[in-house]
Amino acid sequence: EDQVTQSPEALRLQEGESSSLNCSYTVSGLRGLFWYRQDPGKGPEFLFTLYSAGEEKEKERLKATLTKKESFLHITAPKPEDSATYLCAVEGSSNTGKLIFGQGTTLQVKP
Amino acid sequence: SAVISQKPSRDICQRGTSLTIQCQVDSQVTMMFWYRQQPGQSLTLIATANQGSEATYESGFVIDKFPISRPNLTFSTLTVSNMSPEDSSIYLCSVPPSNMNTEAFFGQGTRLTVV
């Protein structure tokens, strides 16, 4: 069974304090691992798709990396506007198109 | 890319009533999904909306409770029937990743509160 576990559940950072969010996954035939950002009351906003171990992608203060068992979302020098819930999801070859989501990490960045 | 318009954005409903949520995509798509996000939880897939045939439901979700329509390749509805407070959630429609798109697209969600 495909499964995604994110940690920590919640993270509080001071502005400028870099950190990483973890996403551990079990999937039969990874088609893609996705990172989304979700603000309260809104739908998920796409950040990255990673397809194979060793792949990395960056966008502003965010960098996503992928291994065969987990993905990390590194946040460098975060700002208060980075406060949100970050969701990780996988698409497996046995469930094409369907995303299995983790519980999310709620990030709060204080000025 | 795909732009998804979902409505209503929010509603407060009496228990025992039903609510129909609409999802419009700006392009023709083969697959559409409906997800539920309960308070403080992540997204759980309810069903796949199939054009021209019945929806395919995930374990724990049934057609009588969540009837789905998919009259064409750009539109779908999800009805939450005979609502109870436990149905209070955010409901989201989605277009999955494909050969054309590397991401799944989501509507803005419908925040449902059942009182």
Side-chain angles (χ1 to χ4, degrees), chain A residues 16-45:
Chain A
E17 179 186 3
S18 303
S19 188
S20 296
L21 282 56
N22 177 264
C23 171
S24 298
Y25 66 92
T26 319
V27 65
S28 53
L30 181 69
R31 290 175 57 92
L33 183 141
F34 304 85
W35 282 99
Y36 285 87
R37 168 190 171 130
Q38 187 175 30
D39 293 299
K42 295 189 175 181
E45 174 189 341

mmCIF file of all heavy atoms in Angstrom, chain A residues 16-45:
data_model
loop_
_atom_site.group_PDB
_atom_site.id
_atom_site.type_symbol
_atom_site.label_atom_id
_atom_site.label_comp_id
_atom_site.label_asym_id
_atom_site.label_seq_id
_atom_site.Cartn_x
_atom_site.Cartn_y
_atom_site.Cartn_z
ATOM 1 N N GLY A 16 14.654 33.956 8.890
ATOM 2 C CA GLY A 16 16.072 33.766 8.604
ATOM 3 C C GLY A 16 16.654 32.461 9.094
ATOM 4 O O GLY A 16 17.785 32.109 8.738
ATOM 5 N N GLU A 17 15.882 31.706 9.878
ATOM 6 C CA GLU A 17 16.364 30.443 10.435
ATOM 7 C C GLU A 17 16.043 29.305 9.477
ATOM 8 O O GLU A 17 14.896 28.861 9.362
ATOM 9 C CB GLU A 17 15.718 30.189 11.797
ATOM 10 C CG GLU A 17 16.138 28.890 12.456
ATOM 11 C CD GLU A 17 15.353 28.629 13.735
ATOM 12 O OE1 GLU A 17 14.453 29.446 14.066
ATOM 13 O OE2 GLU A 17 15.631 27.603 14.393
ATOM 14 N N SER A 18 17.041 28.790 8.806
ATOM 15 C CA SER A 18 16.832 27.741 7.804
ATOM 16 C C SER A 18 16.491 26.400 8.450
ATOM 17 O O SER A 18 16.924 26.118 9.571
ATOM 18 C CB SER A 18 18.077 27.591 6.934
ATOM 19 O OG SER A 18 18.411 28.813 6.303
ATOM 20 N N SER A 19 15.739 25.574 7.728
ATOM 21 C CA SER A 19 15.375 24.253 8.244
ATOM 22 C C SER A 19 14.927 23.363 7.096
ATOM 23 O O SER A 19 14.927 23.788 5.931
ATOM 24 C CB SER A 19 14.262 24.388 9.288
ATOM 25 O OG SER A 19 14.024 23.154 9.926
ATOM 26 N N SER A 20 14.565 22.115 7.432
ATOM 27 C CA SER A 20 14.120 21.160 6.425
ATOM 28 C C SER A 20 12.880 20.431 6.888
ATOM 29 O O SER A 20 12.730 20.133 8.078
ATOM 30 C CB SER A 20 15.218 20.125 6.146
ATOM 31 O OG SER A 20 16.358 20.728 5.593
ATOM 32 N N LEU A 21 12.004 20.128 5.930
ATOM 33 C CA LEU A 21 10.818 19.321 6.169
ATOM 34 C C LEU A 21 11.054 17.962 5.507
ATOM 35 O O LEU A 21 11.601 17.893 4.393
ATOM 36 C CB LEU A 21 9.590 19.976 5.545
ATOM 37 C CG LEU A 21 8.925 21.149 6.248
ATOM 38 C CD1 LEU A 21 9.885 22.290 6.513
ATOM 39 C CD2 LEU A 21 7.736 21.642 5.432
ATOM 40 N N ASN A 22 10.572 16.919 6.174
ATOM 41 C CA ASN A 22 10.812 15.576 5.675
ATOM 42 C C ASN A 22 9.542 14.920 5.169
ATOM 43 O O ASN A 22 8.451 15.122 5.718
ATOM 44 C CB ASN A 22 11.411 14.703 6.777
ATOM 45 C CG ASN A 22 11.611 13.252 6.336
ATOM 46 O OD1 ASN A 22 10.770 12.396 6.591
ATOM 47 N ND2 ASN A 22 12.696 12.996 5.651
ATOM 48 N N CYS A 23 9.684 14.144 4.122
ATOM 49 C CA CYS A 23 8.572 13.362 3.572
ATOM 50 C C CYS A 23 9.105 11.961 3.276
ATOM 51 O O CYS A 23 9.894 11.785 2.347
ATOM 52 C CB CYS A 23 8.048 14.017 2.301
ATOM 53 S SG CYS A 23 6.845 13.025 1.387
ATOM 54 N N SER A 24 8.678 10.994 4.070
ATOM 55 C CA SER A 24 9.061 9.598 3.838
ATOM 56 C C SER A 24 7.937 8.907 3.094
ATOM 57 O O SER A 24 6.766 9.109 3.416
ATOM 58 C CB SER A 24 9.317 8.890 5.162
ATOM 59 O OG SER A 24 10.378 9.485 5.852
ATOM 60 N N TYR A 25 8.287 8.074 2.122
ATOM 61 C CA TYR A 25 7.232 7.464 1.326
ATOM 62 C C TYR A 25 7.519 6.000 1.040
ATOM 63 O O TYR A 25 8.671 5.553 1.011
ATOM 64 C CB TYR A 25 7.048 8.223 0.015
ATOM 65 C CG TYR A 25 8.235 8.152 -0.925
ATOM 66 C CD1 TYR A 25 8.326 7.161 -1.893
ATOM 67 C CD2 TYR A 25 9.268 9.079 -0.847
ATOM 68 C CE1 TYR A 25 9.405 7.090 -2.754
ATOM 69 C CE2 TYR A 25 10.352 9.013 -1.710
ATOM 70 C CZ TYR A 25 10.420 8.025 -2.644
ATOM 71 O OH TYR A 25 11.500 7.950 -3.500
ATOM 72 N N THR A 26 6.416 5.272 0.837
ATOM 73 C CA THR A 26 6.467 3.890 0.360
ATOM 74 C C THR A 26 5.515 3.819 -0.807
ATOM 75 O O THR A 26 4.324 4.127 -0.660
ATOM 76 C CB THR A 26 6.007 2.897 1.443
ATOM 77 O OG1 THR A 26 6.513 3.260 2.692
ATOM 78 C CG2 THR A 26 6.443 1.499 1.100
ATOM 79 N N VAL A 27 6.009 3.444 -1.957
ATOM 80 C CA VAL A 27 5.156 3.409 -3.137
ATOM 81 C C VAL A 27 5.685 2.356 -4.097
ATOM 82 O O VAL A 27 6.887 2.156 -4.217
ATOM 83 C CB VAL A 27 5.102 4.800 -3.815
ATOM 84 C CG1 VAL A 27 6.468 5.203 -4.361
ATOM 85 C CG2 VAL A 27 4.041 4.848 -4.892
ATOM 86 N N SER A 28 4.746 1.713 -4.774
ATOM 87 C CA SER A 28 5.158 0.731 -5.784
ATOM 88 C C SER A 28 5.267 1.438 -7.122
ATOM 89 O O SER A 28 4.273 1.795 -7.729
ATOM 90 C CB SER A 28 4.149 -0.410 -5.851
ATOM 91 O OG SER A 28 2.850 0.086 -6.035
ATOM 92 N N GLY A 29 6.482 1.667 -7.547
ATOM 93 C CA GLY A 29 6.702 2.330 -8.826
ATOM 94 C C GLY A 29 6.399 3.811 -8.778
ATOM 95 O O GLY A 29 5.324 4.248 -9.179
ATOM 96 N N LEU A 30 7.354 4.584 -8.292
ATOM 97 C CA LEU A 30 7.135 6.024 -8.162
ATOM 98 C C LEU A 30 7.043 6.666 -9.535
ATOM 99 O O LEU A 30 7.968 6.596 -10.345
ATOM 100 C CB LEU A 30 8.285 6.660 -7.368
ATOM 101 C CG LEU A 30 8.179 8.170 -7.141
ATOM 102 C CD1 LEU A 30 7.038 8.483 -6.177
ATOM 103 C CD2 LEU A 30 9.485 8.737 -6.619
ATOM 104 N N ARG A 31 5.911 7.318 -9.769
ATOM 105 C CA ARG A 31 5.756 8.095 -10.996
ATOM 106 C C ARG A 31 6.108 9.557 -10.758
ATOM 107 O O ARG A 31 6.523 10.261 -11.682
ATOM 108 C CB ARG A 31 4.334 7.992 -11.539
ATOM 109 C CG ARG A 31 3.985 6.622 -12.092
ATOM 110 C CD ARG A 31 2.532 6.562 -12.508
ATOM 111 N NE ARG A 31 2.170 7.563 -13.488
ATOM 112 C CZ ARG A 31 2.200 7.365 -14.797
ATOM 113 N NH1 ARG A 31 2.606 6.209 -15.294
ATOM 114 N NH2 ARG A 31 1.833 8.324 -15.618
ATOM 115 N N GLY A 32 5.923 9.998 -9.519
ATOM 116 C CA GLY A 32 6.258 11.390 -9.208
ATOM 117 C C GLY A 32 6.015 11.677 -7.740
ATOM 118 O O GLY A 32 5.133 11.073 -7.122
ATOM 119 N N LEU A 33 6.835 12.551 -7.178
ATOM 120 C CA LEU A 33 6.624 13.035 -5.812
ATOM 121 C C LEU A 33 6.387 14.534 -5.906
ATOM 122 O O LEU A 33 7.131 15.250 -6.583
ATOM 123 C CB LEU A 33 7.835 12.730 -4.925
ATOM 124 C CG LEU A 33 7.658 13.137 -3.449
ATOM 125 C CD1 LEU A 33 8.277 12.084 -2.519
ATOM 126 C CD2 LEU A 33 8.173 14.504 -3.150
ATOM 127 N N PHE A 34 5.353 14.989 -5.240
ATOM 128 C CA PHE A 34 4.893 16.368 -5.404
ATOM 129 C C PHE A 34 4.952 17.103 -4.077
ATOM 130 O O PHE A 34 4.610 16.557 -3.033
ATOM 131 C CB PHE A 34 3.446 16.385 -5.913
ATOM 132 C CG PHE A 34 3.253 15.614 -7.179
ATOM 133 C CD1 PHE A 34 3.038 14.243 -7.152
ATOM 134 C CD2 PHE A 34 3.283 16.255 -8.404
ATOM 135 C CE1 PHE A 34 2.857 13.509 -8.320
ATOM 136 C CE2 PHE A 34 3.103 15.543 -9.576
ATOM 137 C CZ PHE A 34 2.901 14.176 -9.534
ATOM 138 N N TRP A 35 5.338 18.360 -4.136
ATOM 139 C CA TRP A 35 5.255 19.254 -2.990
ATOM 140 C C TRP A 35 4.266 20.369 -3.324
ATOM 141 O O TRP A 35 4.322 20.976 -4.405
ATOM 142 C CB TRP A 35 6.615 19.863 -2.659
ATOM 143 C CG TRP A 35 7.538 18.947 -1.919
ATOM 144 C CD1 TRP A 35 8.556 18.199 -2.438
ATOM 145 C CD2 TRP A 35 7.542 18.692 -0.513
ATOM 146 N NE1 TRP A 35 9.180 17.504 -1.444
ATOM 147 C CE2 TRP A 35 8.593 17.787 -0.251
ATOM 148 C CE3 TRP A 35 6.774 19.147 0.575
ATOM 149 C CZ2 TRP A 35 8.893 17.311 1.039
ATOM 150 C CZ3 TRP A 35 7.070 18.683 1.831
ATOM 151 C CH2 TRP A 35 8.115 17.782 2.066
ATOM 152 N N TYR A 36 3.369 20.603 -2.362
ATOM 153 C CA TYR A 36 2.385 21.667 -2.489
ATOM 154 C C TYR A 36 2.448 22.544 -1.252
ATOM 155 O O TYR A 36 2.778 22.094 -0.160
ATOM 156 C CB TYR A 36 0.967 21.105 -2.618
ATOM 157 C CG TYR A 36 0.650 20.515 -3.961
ATOM 158 C CD1 TYR A 36 0.945 19.191 -4.257
ATOM 159 C CD2 TYR A 36 0.041 21.289 -4.946
ATOM 160 C CE1 TYR A 36 0.657 18.655 -5.502
ATOM 161 C CE2 TYR A 36 -0.258 20.754 -6.195
ATOM 162 C CZ TYR A 36 0.053 19.438 -6.456
ATOM 163 O OH TYR A 36 -0.239 18.912 -7.680
ATOM 164 N N ARG A 37 2.054 23.774 -1.435
ATOM 165 C CA ARG A 37 1.868 24.691 -0.322
ATOM 166 C C ARG A 37 0.375 24.963 -0.203
ATOM 167 O O ARG A 37 -0.320 25.139 -1.220
ATOM 168 C CB ARG A 37 2.618 25.994 -0.624
ATOM 169 C CG ARG A 37 2.270 27.135 0.311
ATOM 170 C CD ARG A 37 2.824 28.449 -0.130
ATOM 171 N NE ARG A 37 2.269 29.517 0.681
ATOM 172 C CZ ARG A 37 2.999 30.449 1.273
ATOM 173 N NH1 ARG A 37 4.323 30.486 1.129
ATOM 174 N NH2 ARG A 37 2.418 31.374 2.016
ATOM 175 N N GLN A 38 -0.132 24.999 1.012
ATOM 176 C CA GLN A 38 -1.550 25.281 1.208
ATOM 177 C C GLN A 38 -1.709 26.348 2.282
ATOM 178 O O GLN A 38 -1.260 26.184 3.416
ATOM 179 C CB GLN A 38 -2.330 24.023 1.594
ATOM 180 C CG GLN A 38 -3.833 24.252 1.649
ATOM 181 C CD GLN A 38 -4.616 22.987 1.910
ATOM 182 O OE1 GLN A 38 -4.136 22.068 2.559
ATOM 183 N NE2 GLN A 38 -5.847 22.937 1.413
ATOM 184 N N ASP A 39 -2.358 27.427 1.901
ATOM 185 C CA ASP A 39 -2.704 28.480 2.841
ATOM 186 C C ASP A 39 -4.095 28.204 3.387
ATOM 187 O O ASP A 39 -4.923 27.570 2.709
ATOM 188 C CB ASP A 39 -2.645 29.842 2.165
ATOM 189 C CG ASP A 39 -1.229 30.203 1.770
ATOM 190 O OD1 ASP A 39 -0.386 30.293 2.681
ATOM 191 O OD2 ASP A 39 -0.949 30.375 0.568
ATOM 192 N N PRO A 40 -4.397 28.675 4.592
ATOM 193 C CA PRO A 40 -5.699 28.378 5.208
ATOM 194 C C PRO A 40 -6.860 28.767 4.301
ATOM 195 O O PRO A 40 -6.903 29.871 3.753
ATOM 196 C CB PRO A 40 -5.678 29.220 6.486
ATOM 197 C CG PRO A 40 -4.233 29.369 6.824
ATOM 198 C CD PRO A 40 -3.531 29.466 5.491
ATOM 199 N N GLY A 41 -7.807 27.848 4.140
ATOM 200 C CA GLY A 41 -9.004 28.124 3.356
ATOM 201 C C GLY A 41 -8.816 28.090 1.858
ATOM 202 O O GLY A 41 -9.732 28.437 1.105
ATOM 203 N N LYS A 42 -7.644 27.667 1.401
ATOM 204 C CA LYS A 42 -7.377 27.646 -0.044
ATOM 205 C C LYS A 42 -6.968 26.248 -0.495
ATOM 206 O O LYS A 42 -6.589 25.398 0.303
ATOM 207 C CB LYS A 42 -6.278 28.649 -0.386
ATOM 208 C CG LYS A 42 -6.676 30.094 -0.123
ATOM 209 C CD LYS A 42 -5.654 31.050 -0.684
ATOM 210 C CE LYS A 42 -6.109 32.488 -0.526
ATOM 211 N NZ LYS A 42 -5.139 33.451 -1.098
ATOM 212 N N GLY A 43 -7.027 26.055 -1.803
ATOM 213 C CA GLY A 43 -6.575 24.794 -2.368
ATOM 214 C C GLY A 43 -5.064 24.738 -2.427
ATOM 215 O O GLY A 43 -4.381 25.758 -2.322
ATOM 216 N N PRO A 44 -4.508 23.543 -2.587
ATOM 217 C CA PRO A 44 -3.054 23.389 -2.660
ATOM 218 C C PRO A 44 -2.463 24.127 -3.866
ATOM 219 O O PRO A 44 -3.028 24.110 -4.950
ATOM 220 C CB PRO A 44 -2.860 21.879 -2.803
ATOM 221 C CG PRO A 44 -4.107 21.283 -2.241
ATOM 222 C CD PRO A 44 -5.194 22.236 -2.606
ATOM 223 N N GLU A 45 -1.308 24.727 -3.626
ATOM 224 C CA GLU A 45 -0.581 25.456 -4.672
ATOM 225 C C GLU A 45 0.685 24.672 -5.009
ATOM 226 O O GLU A 45 1.496 24.379 -4.146
ATOM 227 C CB GLU A 45 -0.223 26.856 -4.175
ATOM 228 C CG GLU A 45 0.654 27.669 -5.120
ATOM 229 C CD GLU A 45 1.154 28.952 -4.468
ATOM 230 O OE1 GLU A 45 0.560 29.377 -3.459
ATOM 231 O OE2 GLU A 45 2.141 29.514 -4.956
#
